[in-house]
């Protein structure tokens, strides 16, 4: 898992952070058919399904980033940022 949502708020000095917490996503968007940060449990299933569909259809890689504290959020609950 990637740094947690709460960690991203409290500190910019984390591993996995080059410039900001979206730098990796921006890099992977350039080399994959789909790149998603899975941070809202209410829409994660749709993000995964759509990305896997694109992966299968175009035979290109996908990238998922999962902040490690998202697994503790109840389904349908979006962390306030």
């Amino acid at each position: 898992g990637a740094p947690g949502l709460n960690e991203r708020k409290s500190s910019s000095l984390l591993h996995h952070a080059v410039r900001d917490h979206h730098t990796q996503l921006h890099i992977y968007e350039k080399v994959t058919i789909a790149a998603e940060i899975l941070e809202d449990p209410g829409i994660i299933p749709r993000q995964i399904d759509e990305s896997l569909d694109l992966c299968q259809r175009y035979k290109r890689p996908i990238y998922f980033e999962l902040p490690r504290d998202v697994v503790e959020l109840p389904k349908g609950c979006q962390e306030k940022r």
Side-chain angles (χ1 to χ4, degrees):
L5 296 174
N6 289 324
E7 294 167 319
R8 294 173 188 216
K9 289 181 209 172
S10 63
S11 174
S12 61
L13 299 175
L14 292 170
H15 70 291
H16 287 83
V18 178
R19 291 187 182 155
D20 62 38
H21 299 291
H22 289 95
T23 301
Q24 283 190 183
L25 178 69
H26 297 310
I27 291 168
Y28 280 103
E29 286 174 335
K30 296 176 187 332
V31 297
T32 63
I33 194 67
E36 300 284 345
I37 296 179
L38 306 177
E39 58 187 7
D40 179 352
I43 64 169
I44 288 174
R46 180 173 48 88
Q47 288 176 287
I48 292 172
D49 287 347
E50 290 173 359
S51 296
L52 289 173
D53 180 55
L54 291 170
C55 176
Q56 185 175 30
R57 188 177 335 146
Y58 295 102
K59 308 294 189 242
R60 294 205 40 220
I62 57 177
Y63 170 75
F64 293 135
E65 182 174 309
L66 181 65
R68 62 184 179 181
D69 55 358
V70 168
V71 297
E72 299 168 0
L73 296 175
K75 183 179 179 183
C77 171
Q78 183 173 8
E79 182 74 14
K80 294 193 188 323
R81 283 177 224 97

